[in-house]
């Protein structure tokens, strides 16, 4: 199983919206809705922000949303805020009880 | 609330075996809907799933690490452990233990992480 593909860097200005794509294959994202997104601030542990493509854990802002089309899942953050600046990782179930992560995207708020 | 805490040596010699333990507090490792796993992050790089274990001892591992990894569980202590054999410098990373929701395949609770360096 190869890592899922994410852009290394994404940026946006405060108040704008950005989208981070996560591309997999028909063996992972294309076959299952078990797609999650994690936010990681420097020096901190990752924190889940979306699961099952679109579901937000309690306490996560509704400015964050997810979607999936074919082999690609996406995270959209609307109304960008300074605290959104972090690294974002997608993950997907890949069959056979295996999980795979994306390479990560560094979001810069300009 | 449930918390996870990693423990183990921060320095391991090449070719030796890395052993880490994760202690679960505030709850039981026997929960029927949770799996317990390990994720690592080399310096400046992304997350890599290593594997997980159910309280029954059933395991699943990353195909790329499967030949060197063993994850076990001690329900009497509410702990689970990672053993990674024949380590090299490429295994230097921050190692996180995490709880995985059984059906949703999401890591919903993480330890703070522990750095491990492989060096002689």
């Amino acid at each position: 199983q190869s890592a899922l593909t994410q852009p290394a860097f994404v940026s946006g200005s405060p108040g704008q919206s950005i989208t981070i794509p996560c591309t997999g294959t028909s063996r992972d994202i294309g076959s299952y809705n078990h797609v999650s997104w994690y936010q990681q601030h420097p020096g901190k542990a990752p924190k889940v922000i979306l699961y099952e493509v679109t579901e937000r854990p309690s306490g996560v802002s509704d400015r964050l949303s997810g979607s999936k089309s074919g082999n690609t899942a996406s995270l959209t953050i609307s109304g960008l805020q300074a605290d959104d600046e972090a690294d974002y990782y997608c993950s997907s179930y890949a069959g056979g009880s295996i999980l795979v992560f994306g390479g990560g995207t560094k979001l810069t708020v300009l | 609330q449930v918390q996870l805490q990693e423990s183990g040596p921060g320095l391991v010699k090449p070719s030796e075996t890395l052993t880490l333990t994760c202690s679960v507090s505030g709850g039981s490792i026997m929960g029927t809907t949770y799996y317990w796993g390990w994720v690592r992050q080399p310096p400046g790089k992304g997350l890599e799933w290593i594997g997980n274990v159910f309280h029954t001892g059933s395991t699943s591992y990353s195909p790329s690490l499967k030949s060197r990894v063993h994850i076990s569980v001690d329900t009497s202590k509410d702990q689970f452990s990672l053993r990674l054999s024949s380590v090299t410098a490429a295994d230097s990373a921050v190692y996180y233990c995490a709880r995985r929701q059984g059906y949703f395949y999401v890591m919903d609770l993480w330890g703070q992480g522990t750095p491990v360096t492989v060096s002689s």
Side-chain angles (χ1 to χ4, degrees):
Chain A
Q1 277 73 10
S2 300
L4 307 175
T5 300
Q6 300 179 232
F9 304 96
V10 166
S11 63
S13 299
Q16 287 186 332
S17 294
I18 62 94
T19 295
I20 299 174
C22 169
T23 301
T25 70
S26 59
R27 295 184 299 276
D28 38 64
I29 292 177
S31 291
Y32 307 99
N33 286 328
H34 301 314
V35 176
S36 301
W37 288 88
Y38 301 86
Q39 178 191 61
Q40 185 181 35
H41 285 108
K44 300 295 187 181
K47 167 192 168 186
V48 59
I49 54 175
L50 289 173
Y51 65 100
E52 291 298 281
V53 180
T54 61
E55 299 300 307
R56 281 187 303 273
S58 174
V60 172
S61 171
D62 60 4
R63 296 185 298 106
L64 279 61
S65 62
S67 63
K68 190 185 91 165
S69 177
N71 297 338
T72 298
S74 298
L75 164 68
T76 297
I77 305 177
S78 59
L80 268 181
Q81 300 177 357
D83 190 52
D84 295 327
E85 186 162 293
D87 293 328
Y88 291 84
Y89 295 90
C90 58
S91 77
S92 175
Y93 179 57
S97 298
I98 291 170
L99 274 175
V100 61
F101 279 99
T105 298
K106 182 177 181 60
L107 169 61
T108 299
V109 180
L110 302 171
Chain B
Q1 69 276 20
V2 180
Q3 293 184 317
L4 306 179
Q5 179 67 58
E6 305 90 349
S7 60
L11 181 64
V12 181
K13 289 182 168 56
S15 81
E16 294 190 345
T17 297
L18 177 164
T19 302
L20 297 173
T21 296
C22 184
S23 298
V24 180
S25 62
S28 172
I29 205 167
M30 297 282 289
T32 57
T33 59
Y34 296 118
Y35 289 71
W36 307 92
W38 293 92
V39 175
R40 70 179 183 179
Q41 185 171 35
K45 296 188 178 181
L47 302 173
E48 180 182 17
W49 178 74
I50 298 172
N52 50 236
V53 64
F54 195 51
H55 68 84
T56 57
S58 173
T59 56
S60 56
Y61 300 128
S62 166
S64 64
L65 296 170
K66 189 173 184 177
S67 64
R68 298 193 293 129
V69 172
H70 180 64
I71 300 176
S72 59
V73 62
D74 186 337
T75 56
S76 67
K77 296 181 179 179
D78 283 322
Q79 293 179 335
F80 60 102
S81 297
L82 167 70
R83 286 172 53 90
L84 181 65
S85 63
S86 304
V87 297
T88 69
D91 295 309
S92 296
V94 175
Y95 284 76
Y96 295 97
C97 62
R99 183 181 73 180
R100 196 201 93 192
Q101 290 235 8
Y103 178 75
F104 297 130
Y105 290 90
V106 57
M107 318 289 270
D108 69 342
L109 183 67
W110 296 67
Q112 65 183 23
T114 186
V116 176
T117 300
V118 178
S119 175
S120 55

